Amino acid sequence: MIDVSGFSKRYGRHTAVNDLSFTVPRGGLFGLLGSNGAGKTTTIRALVGLTRPSAGTVRVAGYDVWAEPIPAKSSFGYIPDRPHLYGKLTGRETLRFVAGLRRLPDAEREIDRWLEYFRLSDFGNELTETYSHGMRQKLTIITALLPNPKVLIVDEPMVGLDPQAARQVRELFRAHADAGNAVLLTTHSLPLAEAVCDRLVVLDRGRVLGEGTMDDLRAQTGTRAGGVDGDSLERVFFRLLEEEQAAGAAQDAAAPAQAGRGRRA
């Protein structure tokens, strides 16, 4: 339901993402991991139509996001890394606005249900500019899930959430995928990614270091495999980064020798 094929994004001489490909099928929950500047948010922005690819294609629910933007965007819900809301609307007005755009039937009942779920019922008629960051984040999550989208695209969803809300959100993402939808998640929380994601891709400076299930990544890095006794995603993640750094250092060390041989030739 999400198909990224040969995606690259360049800003002048800087390559933010280089030849990235992955697929999130129906029922899948896919984690996109990496340090700051790895290319995660650039990839997300391309998928939701905010950044045009320099090369390759990005498709959501079978639609090319840039060639068929309207049907593509109508098929997904998006939770950005920072909540962007109209401060002069109340929480309930915000959700009614979203419901109207999506032409949702029986919207009031669903709005009431979601506000109650996140304990926002008492604040539904308050302006969103008065909300705390965590409350704005909860409302943003509701706006994405209210239409029950086929695809859910999520960029760092847990910032500002209290422990109970964070647990609720984890369960929502897993349930949404299990219902036959696709979820793409970026997060700096490696325990969260390990707990909920079926497959993972690790990026560093726009390139893929590893991709697959936890056992696939353990096999790639030579870490301990298997169930609760297997090495954690945190250990696997840092092993991938260490291997990349070691490979880069070896290339740098070899460069002067190769240049010297070239001059002697």
Side-chain angles (χ1 to χ4, degrees):
M1 299 188 80
I2 297 175
D3 183 29
V4 176
S5 179
F7 167 62
S8 296
K9 181 61 182 180
R10 292 181 291 274
Y11 298 96
R13 295 183 178 180
H14 173 65
T15 299
V17 180
N18 184 39
D19 195 26
L20 175 62
S21 298
F22 65 85
T23 299
V24 186
R26 186 184 302 275
L29 202 165
F30 193 99
L32 194 61
L33 309 178
S35 305
N36 291 335
K40 306 182 304 297
T41 295
T42 298
T43 303
I44 293 293
R45 288 175 62 84
L47 280 166
V48 300
L50 294 175
T51 296
R52 184 179 294 276
S54 301
T57 59
V58 289
R59 294 179 176 273
V60 176
Y63 301 105
D64 185 308
V65 174
W66 288 92
E68 305 167 281
I70 294 177
K73 292 177 182 180
S74 67
S75 67
F76 66 75
Y78 173 44
I79 303 172
D81 56 343
R82 298 175 185 174
H84 298 285
L85 300 169
Y86 297 108
K88 296 303 181 182
L89 293 180
T90 68
R92 188 176 295 277
E93 287 171 340
T94 299
L95 297 178
R96 285 172 178 165
F97 175 68
V98 172
L101 288 176
R102 295 297 189 109
R103 300 178 181 178
L104 302 180
D106 202 19
E108 281 301 316
R109 182 180 299 180
E110 282 298 292
I111 289 171
D112 287 340
R113 182 178 72 84
W114 279 112
L115 290 175
E116 178 64 27
Y117 182 82
F118 278 114
R119 297 187 175 184
L120 292 175
S121 295
D122 291 342
F123 306 96
N125 294 321
E126 301 293 332
L127 297 178
T128 61
E129 66 182 10
T130 68
Y131 282 17
S132 68
H133 179 87
M135 292 167 64
R136 291 196 297 271
Q137 186 71 357
K138 291 177 184 179
L139 190 65
T140 300
I141 292 169
I142 296 173
T143 63
L145 288 169
L146 184 63
N148 191 27
K150 297 177 182 177
V151 174
L152 185 62
I153 300 173
V154 187
D155 192 3
E156 293 292 348
M158 300 301 184
V159 178
L161 294 182
D162 58 73
Q164 180 178 354
R167 179 178 179 180
Q168 289 177 304
V169 170
R170 288 196 301 270
E171 293 172 349
L172 283 171
F173 292 163
R174 183 69 264 173
H176 197 68
D178 289 344
N181 304 299
V183 180
L184 175 63
L185 168 70
T186 73
T187 179
H188 287 300
S189 173
L190 299 181
L192 167 65
E194 184 174 0
V196 303
C197 294
D198 306 313
R199 295 181 66 83
L200 303 150
V201 62
V202 179
L203 298 177
D204 182 59
R205 291 175 291 181
R207 296 183 298 110
V208 176
L209 300 188
E211 180 183 352
T213 65
M214 274 299 301
D215 282 343
D216 292 336
L217 295 175
R218 287 167 177 151
Q220 178 181 335
T221 55
T223 49
R224 190 172 64 249
V228 296
D229 295 325
D231 277 322
S232 68
L233 177 57
E234 180 175 335
R235 181 172 176 81
V236 171
F237 178 82
F238 286 112
R239 178 67 65 85
L240 287 168
L241 292 182
E242 290 165 2
E243 291 175 350
E244 174 67 10
Q245 291 167 359
Q251 290 178 351
D252 291 342
Q258 290 173 350
R261 287 195 296 271
R263 286 193 296 270
R264 288 193 296 272

